[in-house]
Amino acid sequence: MAVTLRIHNTMTRTKEDFVPLDPTHVTLYVCGPTVYDRAHIGNARPAIVFDVLSRLLRRLYPKVTYARNITDVDDKINARSRESGRSISAITEETTRWYHEDLAALNVLLPDLEPRATGHIDDMIRMIEDLVAKGHAYEADGHVLFSVPSMETYGRLSGRSIEDMIAGARVEVAPYKRDPSDFVLWKPSDDETPGWESPWGRGRPGWHIECSAMSSRYLGATFDIHGGGLDLIFPHHENEVAQSTCCNGPGSFARYWMHNGMLMVEGEKMSKSLGNFFTVQDLLARQPGEALRLCMLATHYRQPLDWTADGLEQARKTLDRYYGALGRVADLEAEDRPVPEGVLAALCDDLNTPKALSELHVVLGELNRAESRADQARLKGDLLAAGSLLGLLGQDPEAWLRGGEGGDDGLAARVESLIQARKDARKAKDFARADEIRDALLKEGVVLEDGPQGTTWRKA
RNA sequence: GGCCGGAUGGCAGAGUGGUUAUGCAGCGGACUGCAAAUCCGCGUACGUCGGUUCGAUUCCGGCUCCGGCCUCCA
């Protein structure tokens, strides 16, 4: 491999060379959704970012196992069930299906594994038993709690000391806790709440234990990369580290931690109370998924991303340019090409997607300038190779430019006949009539473009 | 209050101890019957105050502003 992948490791707060535990098999775990509601645009960011990472890893290494969990045990789900009267499973199954549909629209590939918490309760119970046996957890009042003071290095990932947390604690401390910073591994369930039999009675797991149990089951006690949103560093990931390393030994668990930045909307914090809360579904009604994806990749994953209508519009226009160029060479078989060096180098530099996109623009310019068929075929190949690594430019150019799969045939036929009528008018030098046809179509959102091979059309 | 991150041209957004991406918008030109698309050319930006340096947007410190986390939010 010509290039070295470098990634910013939250654990060390520095950019490091990525050296996998096993160069023949790279392992990646990303925190997936809690399935109680439609995915919002903030949920889409890690999905897209780590999708690009997984595509890149597959390019660089012979085998990659990417696991992304589904959290289907959670008190928010329980609350939703009580409010709506619908069963837990109906809610989680429907929400999971929505999640898959939304991500598919964003061209996010499925991970290799998508373990569900409810399928791994036994693994979690075993892990909790182990932690109790090792003196890192205790039972109190029907709960099992992780004993934070039992772990010397607690707080390393999030960079905070136990004193900081006590000083800043703004949550009342449950009376059964030995220490205010202890957190729940297992809690009792009443008859109305989902529960599983355990050595501590009927109950359900705490939030953090599922990721520790499932990552260890599928990727091993020690694996390469763990990803998620910045807001998960504390407490979620810190607690995962605590559970897993206390169970499996120091130095185990994730070797590199990657966290994506948060999303803002039109310069403001995204929140339901401000009414600036977009679901992926809302946005897909306005713009194609590929435009959302490009918009997401136009900002580096660790930076805060300001989601704006303007930015989304710009992303769509950018794709119009790419697909316009690809449409002009649609009849040419693309040469089979490696990913352009500049694009690959940018992605290998801590997933610098904005830089990669600027390199892609260079290729676009070259394609637009290319005169020979050979150059065009080569550059088309470059564009498609880079595009597939980023999860972009995979559509049929004509379908994109004419408004996607849903375009009605009637429109196409009507536009074609008007183009013919305009052609006749132009031949007869009746430019007033020709312009009239063009203007009328433009009012309907159809743009005509006269080229050397005749007139083509696209949606505005 | 504690901990962390950010501030780049009209906008978005990379990057760099000295030659200053990329895109959008704008301006000029080529092409076109006119457009559109495409191509060519143009804009010398790095919050603020100090320090280090021959030289700082880039390194260090103060300040201001913005954002995140502080026990179940991606």
Side-chain angles (χ1 to χ4, degrees):
Chain A
M1 155 183 30
V3 282
T4 310
L5 174 60
R6 288 173 60 79
I7 60 185
H8 178 90
N9 188 352
T10 307
M11 188 61 93
T12 58
R13 320 253 158 195
T14 55
K15 220 190 270 186
E16 301 174 0
D17 286 353
F18 174 67
V19 182
L21 199 58
D22 174 1
T24 67
H25 184 191
V26 173
T27 45
L28 169 66
Y29 186 93
V30 174
C31 287
T34 299
V35 282
Y36 70 103
D37 205 353
R38 291 213 88 114
H40 62 251
I41 188 65
N43 295 312
R45 170 116 99 146
I48 291 173
V49 163
F50 293 107
D51 179 58
V52 173
L53 178 67
S54 72
R55 288 170 191 252
L56 177 63
L57 289 171
R58 287 181 212 287
R59 190 70 49 130
L60 300 175
Y61 296 96
K63 185 180 177 195
V64 173
T65 299
Y66 172 20
R68 186 184 62 208
N69 66 297
I70 297 271
T71 300
D72 57 357
V73 191
D74 186 276
D75 286 351
K76 286 194 291 293
I77 301 172
N78 301 339
R80 189 56 59 102
S81 171
R82 272 195 300 277
E83 290 158 15
S84 65
R86 301 179 66 205
S87 73
I88 302 260
S89 62
I91 292 170
T92 58
E93 279 164 26
E94 178 183 64
T95 312
T96 301
R97 198 178 66 242
W98 285 341
Y99 187 71
H100 286 149
E101 286 168 4
D102 288 346
L103 293 196
L106 298 171
N107 201 19
V108 171
L109 303 173
L110 279 173
D112 301 288
L113 299 163
E114 201 169 40
R116 282 150 213 256
T118 49
H120 300 79
I121 302 291
D122 291 350
D123 290 328
M124 296 186 225
I125 290 173
R126 266 195 298 280
M127 194 164 203
I128 296 169
E129 284 180 313
D130 197 14
L131 286 167
V132 172
K134 285 174 174 159
H136 288 294
Y138 59 93
E139 186 182 358
D141 202 16
H143 295 67
V144 182
L145 292 141
F146 184 90
S147 168
V148 169
S150 77
M151 185 193 183
E152 289 279 326
T153 56
Y154 186 86
R156 219 179 114 216
L157 178 67
S158 56
R160 60 188 76 204
S161 67
I162 292 174
E163 298 79 73
D164 289 342
M165 287 178 282
I166 295 166
R170 59 184 184 192
V171 177
E172 62 183 295
V173 178
Y176 47 79
K177 285 188 181 182
R178 282 187 200 163
D179 188 278
S181 55
D182 291 349
F183 59 90
V184 171
L185 297 170
W186 188 263
K187 54 189 166 186
S189 292
D190 61 28
D191 292 342
E192 275 81 68
T193 313
W196 289 262
E197 288 310 321
S198 82
W200 318 284
R202 185 172 172 279
R204 59 196 194 281
W207 178 31
H208 319 297
I209 195 70
E210 62 172 276
C211 292
S212 286
M214 295 190 293
S215 65
S216 153
R217 169 164 203 106
Y218 293 107
L219 305 180
T222 303
F223 56 95
D224 290 312
I225 303 172
H226 190 133
L230 202 61
D231 55 344
L232 292 182
I233 294 176
F234 190 87
H236 186 50
H237 290 163
E238 191 67 74
N239 290 349
E240 284 183 35
V241 172
Q243 293 159 349
S244 291
T245 56
C246 285
C247 190
N248 297 323
S252 63
F253 209 44
R255 303 171 62 241
Y256 298 85
W257 286 89
M258 295 176 75
H259 291 97
N260 61 274
M262 298 293 100
L263 215 86
M264 300 197 297
V265 169
E266 305 287 351
E268 288 187 303
K269 179 183 172 171
M270 182 172 77
S271 74
K272 281 180 174 161
S273 59
L274 284 169
N276 60 356
F277 203 84
F278 297 124
T279 64
V280 172
Q281 200 55 211
D282 293 335
L283 293 164
L284 283 173
R286 279 190 248 161
Q287 294 283 1
E290 190 169 355
L292 306 194
R293 183 180 178 98
L294 176 62
C295 201
M296 205 65 94
L297 296 178
T299 298
H300 184 85
Y301 78 94
R302 284 194 285 117
Q303 292 295 113
L305 167 52
D306 191 8
W307 189 268
T308 63
D310 198 50
L312 188 53
E313 174 69 17
Q314 197 170 306
R316 207 218 76 226
K317 277 156 73 174
T318 299
L319 287 168
D320 284 348
R321 272 192 84 201
Y322 278 107
Y323 280 117
L326 288 171
R328 267 171 254 129
V329 292
D331 57 321
L332 260 181
E333 177 98 21
E335 201 179 315
D336 193 18
R337 297 280 295 168
V339 175
E341 211 174 307
V343 174
L344 191 61
L347 291 178
C348 284
D349 183 14
D350 193 31
L351 224 55
N352 193 338
T353 51
K355 183 73 157 53
L357 290 169
S358 87
E359 298 286 343
L360 200 59
H361 274 287
V362 174
V363 179
L364 173 65
E366 284 171 0
L367 174 59
N368 281 335
R369 257 172 271 132
E371 311 240 322
S372 76
R373 307 276 288 173
D375 283 347
Q376 288 173 341
R378 175 175 54 83
L379 290 160
K380 180 180 177 183
D382 283 350
L383 219 48
L384 293 179
S388 84
L389 184 52
L390 290 161
L392 299 170
L393 307 182
Q395 300 185 53
D396 173 56
E398 188 170 289
W400 170 271
L401 292 168
R402 296 182 180 184
E405 315 297 319
D408 57 300
D409 303 334
L411 177 71
R414 205 160 53 77
V415 172
E416 290 302 341
S417 85
L418 284 168
I419 285 175
Q420 186 55 48
R422 178 166 168 273
K423 188 180 171 190
D424 295 340
R426 292 178 74 204
K427 204 172 250 170
K429 301 275 186 218
D430 183 0
F431 295 120
R433 171 69 189 139
D435 291 351
E436 191 184 304
I437 292 169
R438 190 173 59 198
D439 292 346
L441 281 171
L442 187 60
K443 280 210 179 74
E444 289 187 58
V446 172
V447 180
L448 297 189
E449 293 175 352
D450 298 330
Q453 280 98 37
T455 300
T456 59
W457 66 277
R458 64 182 167 90
K459 288 211 167 164

